[in-house]
Amino acid sequence: MRAASAIACCVPLGAPTLSAAEATAGAALFAALADPARVRIVNVVATSDEPVCACHLIGPLGLSQPTVSHHLKRLVEAGLLEREQRGRWAYFSLAPEARTRLAALVQLPHDPEEALAS
C-alpha cells in the first residue's frame, strides 16, 4: 500500500488555516523531497518525455544503486512517482497528480491580506 493516500490532497500553505491532518499531509510531501538526491530524481523524471530507468539515475546522481533505489522507493510511497517493472529494471515516471499536488501545496497569495480575506 502506498503512503499516497495520506497525502492525496494538500491544502495550499497560503490557506487561512490548516487542520492538523492538512499540515501532516503537507509535511509528508515535504519529507519526501527533504533530500537533495530526491529533488534531483524528481527533476530528471519530470523533465523526461519517457519513463526513466533506475539504471540511468545512478551515474548522474553519483550514488550507489541501493541508495538510488531507496530514494525511488520513498518517492513512490509518497505518490510522487509511479514505478513500472520492465525485465530486470524498474522505470519511473511522474505520477499524474503529482504536479497538481506539488503546485497546490506551495500556492501562496501575492498579498498576505488576501489569505486572511479567504
Side-chain angles (χ1 to χ4, degrees), residues 25-70:
L29 269 179
F30 281 120
L33 293 169
D35 187 286
R38 288 188 215 133
V39 173
R40 290 179 69 199
I41 289 169
V42 170
N43 171 256
V44 169
V45 172
T47 58
S48 176
D49 292 333
E50 299 290 327
V52 177
C53 179
C55 62
H56 294 138
L57 296 169
I58 297 164
L61 293 174
L63 300 172
S64 68
Q65 183 273 324
T67 301
V68 171
S69 292
H70 165 76

Side-chain angles (χ1 to χ4, degrees), residues 6-34 39 78-80 97-109 115:
I7 55 175
C9 184
C10 296
V11 174
L13 293 176
T17 60
L18 293 175
S19 70
E22 292 165 341
T24 299
L29 269 179
F30 281 120
L33 293 169
V39 173
L80 295 173
E97 68 281 355
R99 288 183 205 277
T100 304
R101 288 177 31 228
L102 289 169
L105 180 64
V106 296
Q107 182 181 6
L108 297 172

